[in-house]
């Protein structure tokens, strides 16, 4: 090969730099469209063999950028296909009433959702709206991540009295409201009616007590079949766990009213946890947490007669169609008469660095209102009384008696003690709670350790953490 | 004369063509350099800065000087996570080296289907970490898991494994040994690089298999052992996935690894500043042990052709 025809290093570099520059310019061009395409449906008349047939034809037209609808980005976890399809229909309804707003959904993996959202917020590229949950709302509100909805609610006269579901403890922070209800969620008690019938029992009444619950659990426990009467009550009484309702039912609490001191060492809380402990290790009507690791859900696999689950679990059990089942009331404490259910719901929150506050509020207002709650009633409990009392809502959940769940949430709800440092003390609480169920520590020892760890977190709180 | 010319050239400095050549070289590697600065050096320098701040990620950092580092001394979870990680490194690294070396010795035999066996031992390294963790959760189930079922078959009642604070960390160490195939591959390459004439000469001199192993194989393999020891220490100090997926750091902090604590501070507790300080402490610890091994290597690592002692 001659010296002239050989490709020199300098030539390669020049071509490479030139190509890089051209690509950069092209990318910049692509990022700044001068026009946007808007999909418009229009009717045209097509004449077929002497008849006139009206058909709808979709055409694409270009409109100047300034008259295009405002795009708002809505981030959500990836859900089941039918859930997402339902959300799209609700969005179409919203957009038909608000043609100046275009909603772009971003379905994201649930894992690390919160981490990614924080990072996007820090980088100034967060979506306009996000789904929110109990352990994110208050921590985010304390750090200025969400828009306070109260000014918009008051300005537009949004009727908050139409809700039966209390939102203040979960989503209020220092006088502001930082979440708009997506749908209500909380504790349910599901009963496998096939196993109930095998045990010769009827569905329990609304007035049944912890003693009745134990009798039912014993009747439905069949050791030979590795079948238990009850499950789901041994999670730590912090975060989303159902043991909390037993502590409350016995007159105890996890934290004091100001949510700045642990009260698990007080007698009512200790007694309640001991009651659960005896069900597992004395009566043996509950499976141990260790035996459940890596296993299929025991209720869904027909190995448990009664299970505490979240309302969000309903669609999974319904879609599985494995056995006949129904909701039962949370039993009352035999002495205190208290019935308690833990609640924690999903909300819509507007990110504080959105450039489209009004449009975002319009979307949240729609989804919080009767129309949005009606759209979402298939997948959760609407917070609006008129929607939840509608026959359409009850029919959607038939043959199960969803009214049981609504009644329990209406009368007897307690939140998960959301604070600005929820994740930290919940984590430590769970760490100190686990040795109870492996027999390493007594109930008193474990709860004492839990309170030491929790109070230590609270002692390091900066002032602005107080509600 | 050549040396003299080189000295003269060094004193003169680079010629124009040498400078141009150097510039072209830097230009050619500029994409990689940019990536290094933006995605590696930049975040490292940023984390050093954040370690001196109160930084909640979603708010601007506030300078607080050495407060994050001072806090470490009284932070019981810092010491707990360091202890858990230290135990994990101290046990899993030597065990891993021993087992992978032993497997490599076995795989270095000329037997039928040796290719199949080598593949079988390496396959676990191809399983994603999360999938592997979920699989081992199954294996460790105290009532229905493979491990306790096998132990029961020989009359041993297995422990609660991941459900008990005494057994959770040993369980994760056992799980880490599933990946011996990676080390095995490197040892196998090393073993196959040992000159066979060394073994022949030793055999002629009447050396037993054990003495050939002790005085030929081991010394020849010390560079590979050295490499795997360094990589094992660096990797094990950063253990995270198993604790995050399988135990959440429990029960009762028994598997609360250092990086898990760092992650929780950074992304769950809004303490990115403190997490950055934790990261730098970990970097110093890893650097310390790495340098320790490097310094000791002159005493036990033999390179081919290297002369030792008074020569």
């Amino acid at each position: 090969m001659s010296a002239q025809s050989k490709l020199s290093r300098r030539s390669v570099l020049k071509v490479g730099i030139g190509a890089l520059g051209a690509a950069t310019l092209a990318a910049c061009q692509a990022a700044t469209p001068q026009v946007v395409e808007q999909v418009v449906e229009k009717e045209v008349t097509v004449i077929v063999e002497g008849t006139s047939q009206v058909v709808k034809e979709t055409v694409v037209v270009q409109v100047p950028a300034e008259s295009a609808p405002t795009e708002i980005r809505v981030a959500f976890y990836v859900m089941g296909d039918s859930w997402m399809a339902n959300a799209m229909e609700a969005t179409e309804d919203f957009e038909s009433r608000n043609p100046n707003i275009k909603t772009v959904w971003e379905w994201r993996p649930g894992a690390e959702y919160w981490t990614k959202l924080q990072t996007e917020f820090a980088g100034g590229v967060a979506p306009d709206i996000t789904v929110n949950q109990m352990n994110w709302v208050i921590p985010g509100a304390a750090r200025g991540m969400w828009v306070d909805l109260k000014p918009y609610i008051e300005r537009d006269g949004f009727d908050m009295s139409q809700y039966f579901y209390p939102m203040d403890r979960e989503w209020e922070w220092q006088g502001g409201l930082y979440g708009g209800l997506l749908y209500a969620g909380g504790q349910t008690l599901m009963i496998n009616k096939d196993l109930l019938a095998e045990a010769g029992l009827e569905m329990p009444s609304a007035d049944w007590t912890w003693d009745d619950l134990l009798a039912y659990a014993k009747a439905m426990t069949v050791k030979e079949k590795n079948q238990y009467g009850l499950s789901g009550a041994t999670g730590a009484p912090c975060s989303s766990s159902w043991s909390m309702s037993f502590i409350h039912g016995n007159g105890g609490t996890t934290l004091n009213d100001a949510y700045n001191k642990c009260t698990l060492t007080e007698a009512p809380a200790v007694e309640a946890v001991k009651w659960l402990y005896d069900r597992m290790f004395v009566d043996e009507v509950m499976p141990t947490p260790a035996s459940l690791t890596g296993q299929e859900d025991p209720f869904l696999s027909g190995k448990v007669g009664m299970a505490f689950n979240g309302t969000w679990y309903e669609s999974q059990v319904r879609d599985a169609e494995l056995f006949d089942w129904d909701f039962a009331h949370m039993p009352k404490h035999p002495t205190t008469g208290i019935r308690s259910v833990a609640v924690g719901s999903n909300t819509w929150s507007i990110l504080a660095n959105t450039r489209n506050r009004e449009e975002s509020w319009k979307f949240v207002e729609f989804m919080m209102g009767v129309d949005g709650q009606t759209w979402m009633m298939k997948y959760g409990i609407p917070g609006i009384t008129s929607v939840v009392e509608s026959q359409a809502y009850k029919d959607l959940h038939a043959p199960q008696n969803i009214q049981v769940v609504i009644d329990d949430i209406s009368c007897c709800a307690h939140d998960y003690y959301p604070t600005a440092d929820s994740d930290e003390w919940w984590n430590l609480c769970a760490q100190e709670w686990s040795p109870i169920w492996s027999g390493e520590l007594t109930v008193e020892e474990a709860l004492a350790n839990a309170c030491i760890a929790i109070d230590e977190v609270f002692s390091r709180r900066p002032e602005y953490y107080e509600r | 004369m050549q040396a003299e010319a080189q000295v003269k050239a060094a004193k003169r400095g680079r010629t124009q063509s040498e400078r141009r050549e150097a510039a072209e070289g830097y230009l050619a590697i500029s994409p990689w350099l940019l990536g290094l600065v933006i995605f590696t050096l930049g975040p490292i320098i940023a984390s050093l800065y954040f370690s001196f701040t109160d930084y909640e990620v979603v708010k601007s950092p506030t300078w607080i000087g050495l407060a994050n580092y001072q806090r470490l001394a009284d932070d019981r979870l810092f010491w707990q996570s360091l202890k858990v990680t230290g135990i994990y490194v101290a046990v899993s690294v030597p065990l891993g080296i021993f087992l992978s070396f032993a497997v490599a010795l076995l795989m270095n035999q000329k037997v039928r289907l040796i290719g199949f066996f080598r593949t079988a031992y390496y396959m676990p390294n191809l399983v994603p970490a999360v999938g592997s963790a979920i699989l081992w959760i199954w294996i460790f189930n105290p009532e229905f898991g493979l491990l306790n079922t096998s132990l029961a078959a020989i009359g041993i009642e297995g422990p609660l494994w991941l459900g008990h604070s005494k057994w959770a960390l040993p369980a994760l160490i056992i799980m880490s040994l599933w990946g011996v195939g990676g080390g095995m591959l490197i040892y196998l390459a090393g073993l196959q690089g040992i000159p066979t004439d060394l073994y022949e000469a030793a055999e002629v001199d009447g050396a037993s298999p054990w003495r050939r192993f002790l005085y030929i194989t081991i010394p020849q393999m010390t560079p590979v052992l050295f490499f795997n020891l360094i990589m094992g220490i660096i990797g094990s100090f950063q253990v995270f996935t198993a604790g995050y997926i399988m135990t959440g750091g429990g029960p009762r902090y028994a598997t609360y690894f250092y990086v898990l604590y760092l992650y929780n501070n950074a992304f769950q507790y809004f303490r990115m500043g403190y997490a950055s300080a934790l990261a730098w402490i970990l970097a110093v610890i890893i650097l310390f042990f790495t340098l320790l091994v490097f310094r000791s290597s002159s005493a036990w690592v033999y390179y081919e052709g290297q002369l030792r002692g008074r020569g």
Side-chain angles (χ1 to χ4, degrees):
Chain A
M1 192 188 278
S2 67
Q4 281 98 358
S5 61
K6 208 168 157 182
L7 197 63
S8 72
R9 188 172 47 213
R10 192 177 303 174
S11 306
V12 169
L13 282 173
K14 283 179 183 171
V15 168
I17 290 166
L20 189 63
T24 307
L25 279 172
C28 290
Q29 283 292 324
T32 54
Q34 299 305 308
V35 296
V36 293
E37 291 185 345
Q38 188 174 16
V39 174
V40 176
E41 282 190 350
K42 71 173 189 183
E43 285 184 318
V44 298
T45 301
V46 174
I47 300 175
V48 179
E49 292 186 1
T51 64
S52 168
Q53 184 181 4
V54 175
V55 298
K56 282 191 183 173
E57 183 182 296
T58 303
V59 298
V60 175
V61 300
Q62 289 190 331
V63 299
E66 51 271 16
S67 70
T70 303
E71 266 194 14
I72 54 172
R73 295 164 53 209
V74 179
F76 211 97
Y77 329 110
V78 170
M79 304 291 282
D81 288 343
S82 61
W83 199 104
M84 293 195 286
N86 186 70
M88 292 297 100
E89 289 181 36
T91 303
E92 282 172 15
D93 185 8
F94 165 73
E95 288 177 351
S96 69
R97 301 172 199 224
N98 296 276
N100 60 320
I101 302 173
K102 171 118 182 73
T103 313
V104 177
W105 283 76
E106 295 175 7
W107 300 103
R108 302 171 172 198
E112 301 306 311
Y113 186 99
W114 181 218
T115 306
K116 184 172 178 179
L117 195 66
Q118 290 174 55
T119 310
E120 286 179 309
F121 186 85
V125 291
D128 298 286
I129 299 166
T130 180
V131 62
N132 218 334
Q133 58 184 55
M134 56 200 148
N135 56 325
W136 301 346
V137 178
I138 300 300
R143 294 164 179 88
M145 282 183 75
W146 323 122
V147 169
D148 180 4
L149 300 180
K150 265 198 181 165
Y152 296 90
I153 289 169
E154 286 161 9
R155 182 195 69 185
D156 296 348
F158 189 88
D159 180 14
M160 295 297 283
S161 67
Q162 60 183 327
Y163 292 97
F164 77 92
Y165 186 81
M167 291 188 245
D168 52 344
R169 288 301 276 186
E170 284 185 69
W171 310 323
E172 270 197 10
W173 175 256
Q174 294 181 351
L177 182 69
Y178 294 91
L181 183 70
L182 165 58
Y183 41 50
Q187 184 175 3
T188 67
L189 178 58
M190 297 179 177
I191 295 188
N192 182 325
K193 290 175 77 174
D194 292 347
L195 296 183
L196 196 69
E198 281 176 18
L201 296 168
E202 301 278 334
M203 281 294 289
S205 72
D207 291 319
W208 73 322
T209 67
W210 290 17
D211 296 335
D212 301 317
L213 178 72
L214 175 56
Y216 270 64
K218 281 180 175 174
M220 285 196 276
T221 297
V222 182
K223 284 208 171 82
E224 298 76 36
K225 288 162 66 174
N226 208 32
Q227 178 182 306
Y228 292 91
L230 182 67
S231 76
T234 55
C238 342
S239 75
S240 56
S241 86
W242 317 127
S243 59
M244 202 182 291
S245 61
F246 286 87
I247 290 174
H248 296 149
N250 199 40
T253 54
T254 299
L255 301 182
N256 63 354
D257 285 344
Y259 290 13
N260 60 10
K261 184 165 173 35
C262 174
T263 51
L264 287 171
T265 50
E266 293 175 7
V270 175
E271 281 166 18
V273 178
K274 275 185 166 175
W275 190 92
L276 290 170
Y277 180 91
D278 287 346
R279 303 298 71 80
M280 181 174 292
F281 293 108
V282 174
D283 300 307
E284 295 183 329
V285 297
M286 297 202 304
T288 62
S291 68
L292 293 176
T293 52
Q295 298 297 308
E296 287 292 327
D297 179 273
F299 183 72
L300 212 52
S301 54
K303 289 297 181 187
V304 163
M306 301 180 288
F308 294 107
N309 279 307
T311 48
W312 46 86
Y313 191 60
E314 180 197 349
S315 59
Q316 203 171 335
V317 179
R318 182 186 303 286
D319 292 346
E321 294 181 351
L322 292 170
F323 46 78
D324 193 13
W325 66 281
D326 206 344
F327 294 110
H329 285 282
M330 266 300 291
K332 296 180 184 178
H333 190 279
T335 311
T336 66
I338 297 174
R339 189 196 329 266
S340 178
V341 291
V343 295
S345 307
N346 285 115
T347 76
W348 301 103
S349 289
I350 303 173
L351 280 296
N353 53 12
T354 177
R355 292 194 184 94
N356 306 301
R357 283 199 181 199
E358 285 296 333
E359 291 82 2
S360 299
W361 162 242
K362 280 285 174 212
F363 180 84
V364 172
E365 183 187 31
F366 174 83
M367 296 304 284
M368 279 173 70
V370 170
D371 297 307
Q373 294 291 294
T374 303
W375 275 110
M376 303 313 295
M377 66 182 183
K378 186 178 175 190
Y379 295 99
I381 300 179
I384 292 179
T385 309
S386 61
V387 176
V388 91
E389 285 180 349
S390 68
Q391 192 55 48
Y393 177 69
K394 293 189 175 68
D395 290 345
L396 262 179
H397 295 267
Q400 282 73 37
N401 185 7
I402 194 69
Q403 189 64 42
V404 163
V405 179
I406 296 163
D407 290 345
D408 281 0
I409 288 178
S410 299
C411 76
C412 317
H414 196 294
D415 57 72
Y416 295 111
Y417 304 94
T419 64
D421 44 11
S422 290
D423 274 340
E424 185 169 7
W425 69 268
W426 285 1
N427 188 2
L428 299 182
C429 175
Q431 293 284 343
E432 301 291 357
W433 171 264
S434 58
I436 295 174
W437 313 103
S438 60
E440 292 178 67
L441 294 178
T442 64
V443 170
E444 290 89 346
E445 286 169 341
L447 293 182
N449 289 339
C451 273
I452 290 170
I454 292 170
D455 287 339
E456 189 187 5
V457 172
F458 293 165
S459 70
R460 287 189 268 111
R461 274 177 171 169
E463 279 179 16
Y464 74 85
Y465 272 32
E466 297 303 327
R467 295 184 78 105
Chain B
M1 254 186 83
Q2 191 179 7
E4 213 175 292
Q6 283 176 351
V7 167
K8 277 186 182 166
K11 281 184 179 168
R12 187 180 67 234
R14 288 181 175 167
T15 62
Q16 195 178 5
S17 74
E18 284 170 346
R19 279 200 293 275
R20 192 171 61 238
E21 197 170 308
E24 286 170 358
Y26 281 118
L27 208 55
I29 65 167
S30 60
W32 178 84
L33 273 177
L34 263 176
L36 177 71
V37 169
I38 294 171
F39 297 112
T40 306
L41 283 179
I44 288 174
I45 294 166
S47 80
L48 182 61
Y49 167 69
F50 290 142
S51 72
F52 296 103
T53 67
D54 177 12
Y55 181 37
E56 293 189 316
V57 180
V58 295
K59 292 162 76 171
S60 298
T62 310
W63 184 265
I64 55 172
L66 291 172
N68 285 330
Y69 292 96
Q70 287 164 347
R71 182 184 165 153
L72 292 171
D74 295 326
D75 184 354
R76 69 181 179 97
L77 286 183
F78 164 72
W79 294 109
Q80 171 67 19
S81 64
L82 202 53
K83 175 183 149 195
V84 168
T85 307
I87 294 171
Y88 181 86
V89 172
V91 177
S92 70
V93 171
L95 252 184
I97 287 175
F98 174 77
L99 273 176
S100 52
F101 190 35
V103 171
L105 287 170
L106 286 174
M107 295 301 110
N108 198 32
Q109 308 302 314
K110 286 184 177 58
V111 296
R112 277 185 60 185
L113 298 177
I114 193 65
F116 165 78
F117 290 114
R118 289 174 183 172
T119 306
Y121 273 104
Y122 188 68
M123 286 283 276
N125 288 74
L126 301 176
V127 177
V130 172
S132 169
I134 292 169
L135 173 68
W136 277 93
I137 287 174
W138 263 94
I139 292 173
F140 284 127
N141 183 291
E143 285 186 30
F144 314 110
L146 186 64
L147 202 46
N148 275 6
T149 306
S150 305
L151 288 171
I154 54 173
I156 299 172
E157 187 182 344
L160 289 181
W161 294 115
L162 300 174
H164 197 288
S165 59
K166 277 207 175 78
W167 288 98
L169 187 58
L172 297 189
I173 291 172
I174 291 171
M175 181 184 132
S176 75
L177 300 177
W178 197 45
V180 294
M184 172 210 77
L185 217 57
I186 298 172
Y187 288 125
L188 192 58
L191 286 169
Q192 294 186 345
I194 298 175
T196 51
D197 53 331
L198 293 177
Y199 290 111
E200 288 165 4
E203 211 173 328
V204 163
D205 286 346
S208 65
W210 172 247
R211 290 184 77 84
R212 291 200 296 269
F213 174 75
L214 208 54
Y215 293 108
I216 297 176
T217 308
I218 297 281
Q220 291 287 314
M221 288 296 291
T222 49
V224 183
L225 283 163
F226 172 64
F227 171 79
N228 275 346
L229 178 61
I230 297 283
M231 299 308 289
I233 288 171
I234 292 172
S236 296
F237 263 112
Q238 298 174 70
V239 60
F240 169 76
T241 307
Y244 181 67
I245 301 286
M246 299 172 76
T247 60
R252 202 154 186 250
Y253 316 108
T255 57
Y256 207 50
F257 295 117
Y258 190 96
V259 175
L260 179 58
Y261 183 50
L262 190 161
Y263 168 87
N264 282 341
N265 273 283
F267 298 110
Q268 305 294 325
Y269 307 161
F270 291 95
R271 287 203 288 263
M272 184 63 82
Y274 188 58
S276 299
L278 288 172
W280 276 94
I281 294 294
L282 182 65
V284 167
I285 291 171
I286 292 175
L287 187 63
F288 170 76
F289 282 103
T290 304
L291 287 174
L292 200 64
V293 173
F294 263 98
R295 289 292 296 270
S296 72
S297 67
S298 58
W300 60 278
V301 181
Y302 298 90
Y303 294 100
E304 198 174 329
Q306 181 186 25
L307 290 174
R308 283 188 175 268
R310 284 175 279 183

